Amino acid sequence: MSPTRIDLVTTPTPLENGGALPGGARLWVKRDDLTGLGVGGNKGRKLEFLCGEAQDAGADCLVTVGAAQSNHCRMTAAAGAKLGLETHLVLSGDEPETLEGNQLLSQMFGAIQHHTGIKANDWESLENFRQKLTQQLRTKGRTPHSIPIGGSTPVGALGYHRAYGELMQQCVAIGFTPDVVVHTSSSGGTHAGLVAGLVESRANGTPHCPVIAIGVAKGVALHAESIRQLSDNTLHLLGLSHRTLMQDVVIDKRFLGQDYAVPTQGATDAAHWAAHRGAWILDPVYTAKGFSGLLGIDAEGGFEGFHNVVFIHTGGLPSVFATNSH
Ligand SMILES: Cc1ncc(COP(=O)(O)O)c(C=O)c1O
């Protein structure tokens, strides 16, 4: 049986020609910031499958977890609003006096926000809180569908397996196969899904190219073996027995800076470059660091001989308007 997907996002998202990079390759920007659900972003694609799973399980509410300014939490709140499911968000940090950015939107979508006081990089404690809350809801007779941080389960990663195919089709329609796809990675589901897409396309002999993940959090995303396994488990859900190779999983950790959500000069410069070049708005926590990785690799000659480089813009707009991202 193929996994259930509920229509939540507007696809295919645009693929914009971004002109030449300083190193000479052509930049393409895949506008997954425009997926549409609750002002857009990558998590909408994962939520199509995660909410399909919730529906199949007969869930009457959603629970998930993230950093205070989590885009994933905001988009889960948006999905909950659309599907009429009460949504609980377990968030790092204390309750702010004034809600901003993603929290403000989550409130507008009607989500119940649990401000835990836990630090944003303490994923273990945040996950424990989510599990406890899920159990409490069950004890009260509810049927929660509980989604781990970032929605990065094999079911969630199906969204980016699908996106890989969508992107390759768009490139082929324009007349090229990209040399590389670069994107921002945190909990790893986006990366694993893209890698699963790569592995399947390679096995089928259809156009494909490598994926480079720019890591922006010191979490599971930095362990290549967990991404390899997640990719294999995603393929398994589709009834495919192809195996992901270690060399398929490329994570570049050099652009993270001090820690998750701690600004870097490279990211500030990259956001400026992108805003001026294509009016693309990059956020300081995720996409600006991811794009600083792309520009950094380009500057050191990493794309030499390449003709087409795709950056997947994974969203993050609301945190541009938030003063505290932790
Ligand atoms: C804007 C943005 N880009 C990229 C990512 C990374 O995605 P993943 O958690 O699947 O690695 C996130 C995750 O929260 C995000 O919000």
Side-chain angles (χ1 to χ4, degrees):
M1 208 175 71
S2 61
T4 307
R5 184 179 68 81
I6 294 178
D7 254 328
L8 290 173
V9 298
T10 310
T11 54
T13 54
L15 180 64
E16 287 178 12
N17 183 336
L21 284 166
R26 181 165 300 280
L27 170 70
W28 296 87
V29 180
K30 174 72 169 155
R31 298 292 306 273
D32 270 16
D33 56 322
L34 302 180
T35 52
L37 177 70
V39 308
N42 61 335
K43 298 302 154 71
R45 290 187 186 268
K46 295 182 182 181
L47 284 161
E48 288 200 319
F49 287 97
L50 292 164
C51 291
E53 188 182 33
Q55 192 182 64
D56 290 347
D60 62 9
C61 58
L62 300 173
V63 181
T64 198
V65 53
Q69 279 298 327
S70 163
N71 297 295
H72 163 68
C73 286
R74 177 253 311 166
M75 295 198 76
T76 305
K82 268 193 122 162
L83 300 173
L85 293 171
E86 180 180 288
T87 302
H88 292 262
L89 306 178
V90 173
L91 301 172
S92 69
D94 297 322
E95 183 169 2
E97 270 178 37
T98 313
L99 294 180
E100 294 180 332
N102 282 303
Q103 293 187 3
L104 176 63
L105 295 177
S106 296
Q107 187 194 41
M108 292 175 78
F109 298 138
I112 299 158
Q113 305 191 65
H114 302 262
H115 304 276
T116 61
I118 297 167
K119 285 204 167 71
N121 57 8
D122 186 358
W123 285 19
E124 204 181 320
S125 302
L126 285 165
E127 278 292 355
N128 285 340
F129 195 110
R130 171 183 67 89
Q131 278 158 21
K132 266 193 210 142
L133 176 65
T134 306
Q135 199 42 52
Q136 281 164 10
L137 286 161
R138 283 205 188 100
T139 308
K140 286 184 188 158
R142 306 295 302 272
T143 310
H145 186 65
S146 195
I147 301 171
I149 210 146
S152 288
T153 63
V155 170
L158 286 169
Y160 269 88
H161 166 271
R162 193 162 189 266
Y164 189 89
E166 176 185 307
L167 171 63
M168 289 303 146
Q169 265 185 18
Q170 283 176 310
C171 295
V172 167
I174 297 169
F176 69 94
T177 301
D179 295 289
V180 70
V181 171
V182 181
H183 73 98
T184 311
S185 187
S186 167
S187 65
T190 302
H191 188 196
L194 291 169
V195 169
L198 154 64
V199 171
E200 188 192 3
S201 302
R202 182 174 57 213
N204 292 344
T206 54
H208 59 276
C209 73
V211 176
I212 298 178
I214 308 294
V216 301
K218 291 179 181 166
V220 288
L222 300 188
H223 304 296
E225 174 54 22
S226 64
I227 302 298
R228 196 195 61 73
Q229 275 173 22
L230 190 50
S231 168
D232 271 0
N233 293 340
T234 306
L235 290 163
H236 184 74
L237 278 181
L238 295 163
L240 300 170
S241 55
H242 314 308
R243 302 305 296 267
T244 307
L245 308 175
M246 256 342 262
Q247 64 256 36
D248 293 329
V249 182
V250 180
I251 307 172
D252 196 329
K253 313 167 190 178
R254 295 173 297 156
F255 302 92
L256 161 65
Q258 247 179 306
D259 206 343
Y260 174 78
V262 177
T264 64
Q265 189 58 47
T268 306
D269 295 345
H272 187 79
W273 193 96
H276 282 245
R277 166 61 70 90
W280 304 301
I281 303 299
L282 306 180
D283 76 289
V285 181
Y286 294 100
T287 51
K289 280 191 183 172
F291 195 63
S292 77
L294 186 150
L295 290 178
I297 295 170
D298 183 57
E300 63 196 21
F303 300 144
E304 213 176 294
F306 285 12
H307 300 288
N308 295 287
V309 171
V310 176
F311 179 66
I312 304 187
H313 186 335
T314 42
L317 176 70
S319 56
V320 170
F321 303 105
T323 47
N324 183 359
S325 300
H326 295 73

